[in-house]
Amino acid sequence: MIQYDLAFSKNIKAMKRSVIRELLKVTQSPEIISFAGGLPSPESFPIEEIKKITMEVLEKNGTKALQYGATEGFPPLADELIKLMALDNVKIGRENLAITIASQQGLDLVGKIFFNPGDIAIVESPTYVGALSAFNSYRGKLVDVELDDDGMRIDILKKTLANLKKQGKKPKFIYVIPDFHNPAGVTLSYERRKQLIEIAKKEKIMIIEDSPYRMVRFRGKNIPSLYSMDKEGLVVSLFTFSKIFVPGFRLGWAIGPKEIIDKMIIAKQATDLSTPEITQHIAASFLQKKLLLPTVKKTVSIYEKKNKLMLEMLDKYMPKKKGVRWTKPDGGLFLWVTLPEKYDCDKIFTKAIEKKVAYVVGSAFYVGGKKKNSFRMNFSYPSMEQIKVGVKRLAEVIDNEIK
Ligand SMILES: Cc1ncc(COP(=O)(O)O)c(C=O)c1O
């Protein structure tokens, strides 16, 4: 018998199945109200428009839309994305842009071009679980820095960098999710953005700004992106159509200094040659017809209502007096509930499932799974009725657990 294990690389042996994807299998039974997934609301999908545009693309441009394409991406889509970025005060040219298979590929390419095994990167604590797996797959060593309601704690970042320096170590990059963080739902304040850019400039460290939710703001004022604040070519930003258009197209883009985008394109060539042309043609036409912003507006108004209801229900039913806290996001898809430190939300998950309600265990979002007293709740996918019933159910489970 062949021993497959002897054939596998150290990289793949270091990788694990996504905890979330495994959990989602348990939560998919119809009687369970799930706040576990990270899915956009299907009510926001512009199905009719996509149908019409797809027919047009195939009729007018079928031979090109079904052909191989350039690794950089479909030029008319790139031009639309450059215009879209300009609306957010980001001025880039084609050389600063790579169209990717959504932002998960952006994260993979970042890992691929920056990490030698054992290289260090700073991440937030907690952080996006998919970034942990992408970076772990290149055997990056992740050093985490706590966050609070204003995003990454810059005082702790400074101490962490000083400690690493003492050991003669320097991180390759600092990875942040500045807008409506997944999982924590918080936003990096303007003050901290300025400080972060200053530190990156002084220490000559790259920043990876992962911002899939940036356009999904339903409260408060826009804060400039790190990319728009940087004058030194320190920032690479990752974006995606997943939360503002449709996730099924698996379409996103990375922006950054030309030298870095060049390397990402070389790395992408080895992975998949190019992003599918057909979805890029459809997305380009969708943008040319000025349909994106109205779609985003509709999405934001749906999420605003759902978030408001979830917060109201949490306020009404969660045992606040027993030390349960949660974040109040200004946008995005998630909020983050924290119990007093001694409670284990991995264990409470089983009891929640018995009561037919689900969340994602917070430990999945920590380097080494080190903290267990939090969980993530999604408000974009469940219906208003499910939010009403589900939060009440969950609050009862938590109330019973906390003595
Ligand atoms: C912070 C963050 N980055 C990246 C992704 C990957 O999204 P996609 O590959 O659909 O663009 C997600 C998805 O939830 C996310 O929350």
PDB file of all heavy atoms in Angstrom, residues 308-321 324 326 328 387-389 391-396 399:
ATOM      1  N   LYS A 308     -30.127  46.558  12.904  1.00  0.00           N
ATOM      2  CA  LYS A 308     -30.868  47.290  13.933  1.00  0.00           C
ATOM      3  C   LYS A 308     -31.722  46.305  14.752  1.00  0.00           C
ATOM      4  O   LYS A 308     -31.718  46.335  15.977  1.00  0.00           O
ATOM      5  CB  LYS A 308     -31.751  48.337  13.233  1.00  0.00           C
ATOM      6  CG  LYS A 308     -32.444  49.274  14.153  1.00  0.00           C
ATOM      7  CD  LYS A 308     -32.934  50.508  13.368  1.00  0.00           C
ATOM      8  CE  LYS A 308     -33.873  51.324  14.217  1.00  0.00           C
ATOM      9  NZ  LYS A 308     -35.283  50.950  14.070  1.00  0.00           N
ATOM     10  N   LEU A 309     -32.401  45.417  14.032  1.00  0.00           N
ATOM     11  CA  LEU A 309     -33.242  44.450  14.732  1.00  0.00           C
ATOM     12  C   LEU A 309     -32.406  43.531  15.620  1.00  0.00           C
ATOM     13  O   LEU A 309     -32.762  43.256  16.769  1.00  0.00           O
ATOM     14  CB  LEU A 309     -34.045  43.629  13.709  1.00  0.00           C
ATOM     15  CG  LEU A 309     -34.954  42.566  14.312  1.00  0.00           C
ATOM     16  CD1 LEU A 309     -36.045  43.191  15.174  1.00  0.00           C
ATOM     17  CD2 LEU A 309     -35.599  41.703  13.215  1.00  0.00           C
ATOM     18  N   MET A 310     -31.274  43.083  15.091  1.00  0.00           N
ATOM     19  CA  MET A 310     -30.439  42.179  15.898  1.00  0.00           C
ATOM     20  C   MET A 310     -29.969  42.892  17.169  1.00  0.00           C
ATOM     21  O   MET A 310     -30.010  42.316  18.268  1.00  0.00           O
ATOM     22  CB  MET A 310     -29.244  41.657  15.096  1.00  0.00           C
ATOM     23  CG  MET A 310     -28.431  40.643  15.870  1.00  0.00           C
ATOM     24  SD  MET A 310     -27.165  39.849  14.868  1.00  0.00           S
ATOM     25  CE  MET A 310     -28.047  38.427  14.244  1.00  0.00           C
ATOM     26  N   LEU A 311     -29.569  44.151  17.033  1.00  0.00           N
ATOM     27  CA  LEU A 311     -29.111  44.899  18.215  1.00  0.00           C
ATOM     28  C   LEU A 311     -30.259  45.085  19.213  1.00  0.00           C
ATOM     29  O   LEU A 311     -30.068  44.941  20.426  1.00  0.00           O
ATOM     30  CB  LEU A 311     -28.540  46.264  17.808  1.00  0.00           C
ATOM     31  CG  LEU A 311     -27.179  46.234  17.100  1.00  0.00           C
ATOM     32  CD1 LEU A 311     -26.779  47.636  16.630  1.00  0.00           C
ATOM     33  CD2 LEU A 311     -26.081  45.663  17.993  1.00  0.00           C
ATOM     34  N   GLU A 312     -31.452  45.374  18.693  1.00  0.00           N
ATOM     35  CA  GLU A 312     -32.607  45.541  19.591  1.00  0.00           C
ATOM     36  C   GLU A 312     -32.895  44.250  20.354  1.00  0.00           C
ATOM     37  O   GLU A 312     -33.150  44.262  21.553  1.00  0.00           O
ATOM     38  CB  GLU A 312     -33.856  45.920  18.782  1.00  0.00           C
ATOM     39  CG  GLU A 312     -33.914  47.400  18.443  1.00  0.00           C
ATOM     40  CD  GLU A 312     -34.979  47.699  17.375  1.00  0.00           C
ATOM     41  OE1 GLU A 312     -35.852  46.843  17.101  1.00  0.00           O
ATOM     42  OE2 GLU A 312     -34.900  48.804  16.803  1.00  0.00           O
ATOM     43  N   MET A 313     -32.844  43.136  19.636  1.00  0.00           N
ATOM     44  CA  MET A 313     -33.144  41.849  20.267  1.00  0.00           C
ATOM     45  C   MET A 313     -32.058  41.473  21.287  1.00  0.00           C
ATOM     46  O   MET A 313     -32.371  40.940  22.353  1.00  0.00           O
ATOM     47  CB  MET A 313     -33.273  40.736  19.208  1.00  0.00           C
ATOM     48  CG  MET A 313     -34.398  40.916  18.219  1.00  0.00           C
ATOM     49  SD  MET A 313     -36.009  41.209  18.982  1.00  0.00           S
ATOM     50  CE  MET A 313     -36.414  39.586  19.583  1.00  0.00           C
ATOM     51  N   LEU A 314     -30.806  41.777  20.955  1.00  0.00           N
ATOM     52  CA  LEU A 314     -29.720  41.492  21.903  1.00  0.00           C
ATOM     53  C   LEU A 314     -29.917  42.322  23.168  1.00  0.00           C
ATOM     54  O   LEU A 314     -29.788  41.822  24.291  1.00  0.00           O
ATOM     55  CB  LEU A 314     -28.361  41.814  21.270  1.00  0.00           C
ATOM     56  CG  LEU A 314     -27.853  40.818  20.222  1.00  0.00           C
ATOM     57  CD1 LEU A 314     -26.677  41.407  19.452  1.00  0.00           C
ATOM     58  CD2 LEU A 314     -27.428  39.506  20.866  1.00  0.00           C
ATOM     59  N   ASP A 315     -30.237  43.601  22.966  1.00  0.00           N
ATOM     60  CA  ASP A 315     -30.463  44.502  24.102  1.00  0.00           C
ATOM     61  C   ASP A 315     -31.569  43.983  25.008  1.00  0.00           C
ATOM     62  O   ASP A 315     -31.495  44.057  26.220  1.00  0.00           O
ATOM     63  CB  ASP A 315     -30.902  45.873  23.558  1.00  0.00           C
ATOM     64  CG  ASP A 315     -29.839  46.918  23.828  1.00  0.00           C
ATOM     65  OD1 ASP A 315     -28.961  46.657  24.664  1.00  0.00           O
ATOM     66  OD2 ASP A 315     -29.897  47.982  23.187  1.00  0.00           O
ATOM     67  N   LYS A 316     -32.594  43.475  24.365  1.00  0.00           N
ATOM     68  CA  LYS A 316     -33.772  43.044  25.109  1.00  0.00           C
ATOM     69  C   LYS A 316     -33.519  41.734  25.873  1.00  0.00           C
ATOM     70  O   LYS A 316     -33.970  41.575  26.998  1.00  0.00           O
ATOM     71  CB  LYS A 316     -34.912  42.854  24.098  1.00  0.00           C
ATOM     72  CG  LYS A 316     -36.276  42.800  24.690  1.00  0.00           C
ATOM     73  CD  LYS A 316     -37.308  43.089  23.595  1.00  0.00           C
ATOM     74  CE  LYS A 316     -38.693  42.782  24.065  1.00  0.00           C
ATOM     75  NZ  LYS A 316     -39.644  42.861  22.945  1.00  0.00           N
ATOM     76  N   TYR A 317     -32.800  40.801  25.235  1.00  0.00           N
ATOM     77  CA  TYR A 317     -32.756  39.451  25.812  1.00  0.00           C
ATOM     78  C   TYR A 317     -31.403  38.985  26.361  1.00  0.00           C
ATOM     79  O   TYR A 317     -31.363  38.102  27.205  1.00  0.00           O
ATOM     80  CB  TYR A 317     -33.252  38.428  24.782  1.00  0.00           C
ATOM     81  CG  TYR A 317     -34.705  38.613  24.424  1.00  0.00           C
ATOM     82  CD1 TYR A 317     -35.085  39.057  23.173  1.00  0.00           C
ATOM     83  CD2 TYR A 317     -35.688  38.352  25.382  1.00  0.00           C
ATOM     84  CE1 TYR A 317     -36.430  39.237  22.852  1.00  0.00           C
ATOM     85  CE2 TYR A 317     -37.027  38.534  25.072  1.00  0.00           C
ATOM     86  CZ  TYR A 317     -37.395  38.972  23.810  1.00  0.00           C
ATOM     87  OH  TYR A 317     -38.715  39.146  23.510  1.00  0.00           O
ATOM     88  N   MET A 318     -30.297  39.525  25.862  1.00  0.00           N
ATOM     89  CA  MET A 318     -29.000  38.994  26.319  1.00  0.00           C
ATOM     90  C   MET A 318     -28.722  39.419  27.768  1.00  0.00           C
ATOM     91  O   MET A 318     -29.015  40.553  28.127  1.00  0.00           O
ATOM     92  CB  MET A 318     -27.866  39.524  25.437  1.00  0.00           C
ATOM     93  CG  MET A 318     -27.542  38.658  24.273  1.00  0.00           C
ATOM     94  SD  MET A 318     -26.713  37.128  24.745  1.00  0.00           S
ATOM     95  CE  MET A 318     -26.743  36.308  23.154  1.00  0.00           C
ATOM     96  N   PRO A 319     -28.153  38.538  28.578  1.00  0.00           N
ATOM     97  CA  PRO A 319     -27.903  38.881  29.997  1.00  0.00           C
ATOM     98  C   PRO A 319     -26.717  39.837  30.150  1.00  0.00           C
ATOM     99  O   PRO A 319     -25.631  39.441  30.548  1.00  0.00           O
ATOM    100  CB  PRO A 319     -27.632  37.515  30.627  1.00  0.00           C
ATOM    101  CG  PRO A 319     -27.168  36.647  29.518  1.00  0.00           C
ATOM    102  CD  PRO A 319     -27.783  37.160  28.258  1.00  0.00           C
ATOM    103  N   LYS A 320     -26.965  41.124  29.850  1.00  0.00           N
ATOM    104  CA  LYS A 320     -25.909  42.142  29.931  1.00  0.00           C
ATOM    105  C   LYS A 320     -25.333  42.223  31.337  1.00  0.00           C
ATOM    106  O   LYS A 320     -24.154  42.422  31.530  1.00  0.00           O
ATOM    107  CB  LYS A 320     -26.507  43.520  29.578  1.00  0.00           C
ATOM    108  CG  LYS A 320     -26.436  43.854  28.112  1.00  0.00           C
ATOM    109  CD  LYS A 320     -26.764  45.299  27.864  1.00  0.00           C
ATOM    110  CE  LYS A 320     -28.270  45.514  27.956  1.00  0.00           C
ATOM    111  NZ  LYS A 320     -28.720  46.834  27.517  1.00  0.00           N
ATOM    112  N   LYS A 321     -26.245  42.097  32.319  1.00  0.00           N
ATOM    113  CA  LYS A 321     -25.809  42.262  33.711  1.00  0.00           C
ATOM    114  C   LYS A 321     -24.826  41.169  34.130  1.00  0.00           C
ATOM    115  O   LYS A 321     -24.126  41.296  35.107  1.00  0.00           O
ATOM    116  CB  LYS A 321     -27.028  42.258  34.646  1.00  0.00           C
ATOM    117  CG  LYS A 321     -27.882  43.489  34.435  1.00  0.00           C
ATOM    118  CD  LYS A 321     -28.753  43.784  35.646  1.00  0.00           C
ATOM    119  CE  LYS A 321     -29.555  45.043  35.398  1.00  0.00           C
ATOM    120  NZ  LYS A 321     -30.975  44.751  35.128  1.00  0.00           N
ATOM    121  N   VAL A 324     -22.137  40.010  29.583  1.00  0.00           N
ATOM    122  CA  VAL A 324     -22.095  39.697  28.141  1.00  0.00           C
ATOM    123  C   VAL A 324     -22.076  41.025  27.369  1.00  0.00           C
ATOM    124  O   VAL A 324     -22.887  41.907  27.634  1.00  0.00           O
ATOM    125  CB  VAL A 324     -23.324  38.862  27.721  1.00  0.00           C
ATOM    126  CG1 VAL A 324     -23.264  38.538  26.233  1.00  0.00           C
ATOM    127  CG2 VAL A 324     -23.412  37.596  28.542  1.00  0.00           C
ATOM    128  N   TRP A 326     -21.360  43.032  23.366  1.00  0.00           N
ATOM    129  CA  TRP A 326     -21.291  42.805  21.921  1.00  0.00           C
ATOM    130  C   TRP A 326     -20.962  44.115  21.222  1.00  0.00           C
ATOM    131  O   TRP A 326     -21.178  45.200  21.774  1.00  0.00           O
ATOM    132  CB  TRP A 326     -22.593  42.205  21.373  1.00  0.00           C
ATOM    133  CG  TRP A 326     -23.826  42.967  21.749  1.00  0.00           C
ATOM    134  CD1 TRP A 326     -24.430  43.948  21.024  1.00  0.00           C
ATOM    135  CD2 TRP A 326     -24.607  42.814  22.946  1.00  0.00           C
ATOM    136  NE1 TRP A 326     -25.539  44.414  21.682  1.00  0.00           N
ATOM    137  CE2 TRP A 326     -25.670  43.735  22.870  1.00  0.00           C
ATOM    138  CE3 TRP A 326     -24.499  41.975  24.060  1.00  0.00           C
ATOM    139  CZ2 TRP A 326     -26.625  43.855  23.864  1.00  0.00           C
ATOM    140  CZ3 TRP A 326     -25.449  42.101  25.059  1.00  0.00           C
ATOM    141  CH2 TRP A 326     -26.505  43.027  24.958  1.00  0.00           C
ATOM    142  N   LYS A 328     -21.161  46.993  18.136  1.00  0.00           N
ATOM    143  CA  LYS A 328     -22.244  47.631  17.373  1.00  0.00           C
ATOM    144  C   LYS A 328     -21.673  48.166  16.068  1.00  0.00           C
ATOM    145  O   LYS A 328     -21.243  49.300  15.992  1.00  0.00           O
ATOM    146  CB  LYS A 328     -22.858  48.759  18.210  1.00  0.00           C
ATOM    147  CG  LYS A 328     -23.514  48.207  19.462  1.00  0.00           C
ATOM    148  CD  LYS A 328     -23.982  49.260  20.429  1.00  0.00           C
ATOM    149  CE  LYS A 328     -24.513  48.609  21.702  1.00  0.00           C
ATOM    150  NZ  LYS A 328     -23.513  47.825  22.458  1.00  0.00           N
ATOM    151  N   ILE A 387     -34.193  36.416  12.875  1.00  0.00           N
ATOM    152  CA  ILE A 387     -33.403  37.214  13.832  1.00  0.00           C
ATOM    153  C   ILE A 387     -34.191  37.350  15.137  1.00  0.00           C
ATOM    154  O   ILE A 387     -33.657  37.157  16.231  1.00  0.00           O
ATOM    155  CB  ILE A 387     -33.038  38.599  13.239  1.00  0.00           C
ATOM    156  CG1 ILE A 387     -32.067  38.432  12.063  1.00  0.00           C
ATOM    157  CG2 ILE A 387     -32.431  39.518  14.306  1.00  0.00           C
ATOM    158  CD1 ILE A 387     -31.695  39.708  11.309  1.00  0.00           C
ATOM    159  N   LYS A 388     -35.486  37.646  15.010  1.00  0.00           N
ATOM    160  CA  LYS A 388     -36.328  37.823  16.206  1.00  0.00           C
ATOM    161  C   LYS A 388     -36.325  36.563  17.067  1.00  0.00           C
ATOM    162  O   LYS A 388     -36.049  36.600  18.255  1.00  0.00           O
ATOM    163  CB  LYS A 388     -37.776  38.101  15.768  1.00  0.00           C
ATOM    164  CG  LYS A 388     -38.125  39.557  15.789  1.00  0.00           C
ATOM    165  CD  LYS A 388     -39.623  39.712  15.623  1.00  0.00           C
ATOM    166  CE  LYS A 388     -39.904  41.047  14.971  1.00  0.00           C
ATOM    167  NZ  LYS A 388     -41.171  41.089  14.293  1.00  0.00           N
ATOM    168  N   VAL A 389     -36.621  35.441  16.435  1.00  0.00           N
ATOM    169  CA  VAL A 389     -36.753  34.189  17.186  1.00  0.00           C
ATOM    170  C   VAL A 389     -35.377  33.677  17.636  1.00  0.00           C
ATOM    171  O   VAL A 389     -35.190  33.246  18.775  1.00  0.00           O
ATOM    172  CB  VAL A 389     -37.462  33.128  16.304  1.00  0.00           C
ATOM    173  CG1 VAL A 389     -37.609  31.811  17.046  1.00  0.00           C
ATOM    174  CG2 VAL A 389     -38.814  33.652  15.838  1.00  0.00           C
ATOM    175  N   VAL A 391     -32.358  35.197  18.137  1.00  0.00           N
ATOM    176  CA  VAL A 391     -31.596  35.890  19.185  1.00  0.00           C
ATOM    177  C   VAL A 391     -32.182  35.535  20.546  1.00  0.00           C
ATOM    178  O   VAL A 391     -31.448  35.324  21.513  1.00  0.00           O
ATOM    179  CB  VAL A 391     -31.579  37.420  18.952  1.00  0.00           C
ATOM    180  CG1 VAL A 391     -30.903  38.135  20.124  1.00  0.00           C
ATOM    181  CG2 VAL A 391     -30.860  37.774  17.654  1.00  0.00           C
ATOM    182  N   LYS A 392     -33.512  35.450  20.616  1.00  0.00           N
ATOM    183  CA  LYS A 392     -34.165  35.098  21.878  1.00  0.00           C
ATOM    184  C   LYS A 392     -33.717  33.692  22.334  1.00  0.00           C
ATOM    185  O   LYS A 392     -33.337  33.501  23.485  1.00  0.00           O
ATOM    186  CB  LYS A 392     -35.683  35.159  21.668  1.00  0.00           C
ATOM    187  CG  LYS A 392     -36.447  35.182  22.930  1.00  0.00           C
ATOM    188  CD  LYS A 392     -37.874  35.672  22.693  1.00  0.00           C
ATOM    189  CE  LYS A 392     -38.663  35.512  23.964  1.00  0.00           C
ATOM    190  NZ  LYS A 392     -39.835  34.677  23.824  1.00  0.00           N
ATOM    191  N   ARG A 393     -33.734  32.758  21.387  1.00  0.00           N
ATOM    192  CA  ARG A 393     -33.286  31.389  21.703  1.00  0.00           C
ATOM    193  C   ARG A 393     -31.854  31.400  22.215  1.00  0.00           C
ATOM    194  O   ARG A 393     -31.535  30.766  23.222  1.00  0.00           O
ATOM    195  CB  ARG A 393     -33.279  30.534  20.418  1.00  0.00           C
ATOM    196  CG  ARG A 393     -34.579  29.882  20.118  1.00  0.00           C
ATOM    197  CD  ARG A 393     -34.373  28.946  18.914  1.00  0.00           C
ATOM    198  NE  ARG A 393     -35.630  28.754  18.232  1.00  0.00           N
ATOM    199  CZ  ARG A 393     -35.770  28.182  17.046  1.00  0.00           C
ATOM    200  NH1 ARG A 393     -34.706  27.777  16.383  1.00  0.00           N
ATOM    201  NH2 ARG A 393     -36.952  28.020  16.507  1.00  0.00           N
ATOM    202  N   LEU A 394     -31.009  32.122  21.496  1.00  0.00           N
ATOM    203  CA  LEU A 394     -29.588  32.130  21.848  1.00  0.00           C
ATOM    204  C   LEU A 394     -29.381  32.785  23.214  1.00  0.00           C
ATOM    205  O   LEU A 394     -28.587  32.302  24.041  1.00  0.00           O
ATOM    206  CB  LEU A 394     -28.799  32.880  20.756  1.00  0.00           C
ATOM    207  CG  LEU A 394     -27.288  32.916  20.900  1.00  0.00           C
ATOM    208  CD1 LEU A 394     -26.691  31.524  20.995  1.00  0.00           C
ATOM    209  CD2 LEU A 394     -26.662  33.653  19.698  1.00  0.00           C
ATOM    210  N   ALA A 395     -30.118  33.861  23.461  1.00  0.00           N
ATOM    211  CA  ALA A 395     -29.977  34.559  24.747  1.00  0.00           C
ATOM    212  C   ALA A 395     -30.356  33.623  25.891  1.00  0.00           C
ATOM    213  O   ALA A 395     -29.726  33.639  26.953  1.00  0.00           O
ATOM    214  CB  ALA A 395     -30.844  35.814  24.747  1.00  0.00           C
ATOM    215  N   GLU A 396     -31.358  32.770  25.664  1.00  0.00           N
ATOM    216  CA  GLU A 396     -31.755  31.820  26.710  1.00  0.00           C
ATOM    217  C   GLU A 396     -30.633  30.813  26.991  1.00  0.00           C
ATOM    218  O   GLU A 396     -30.335  30.502  28.134  1.00  0.00           O
ATOM    219  CB  GLU A 396     -33.022  31.056  26.282  1.00  0.00           C
ATOM    220  CG  GLU A 396     -34.300  31.858  26.558  1.00  0.00           C
ATOM    221  CD  GLU A 396     -35.510  31.308  25.787  1.00  0.00           C
ATOM    222  OE1 GLU A 396     -35.471  30.133  25.337  1.00  0.00           O
ATOM    223  OE2 GLU A 396     -36.463  32.084  25.640  1.00  0.00           O
ATOM    224  N   ASP A 399     -27.920  32.701  28.879  1.00  0.00           N
ATOM    225  CA  ASP A 399     -28.381  33.008  30.238  1.00  0.00           C
ATOM    226  C   ASP A 399     -28.298  31.764  31.132  1.00  0.00           C
ATOM    227  O   ASP A 399     -27.879  31.836  32.285  1.00  0.00           O
ATOM    228  CB  ASP A 399     -29.815  33.545  30.166  1.00  0.00           C
ATOM    229  CG  ASP A 399     -30.207  34.241  31.462  1.00  0.00           C
ATOM    230  OD1 ASP A 399     -29.337  34.912  32.061  1.00  0.00           O
ATOM    231  OD2 ASP A 399     -31.357  34.077  31.893  1.00  0.00           O
TER     232      ASP A 399
END
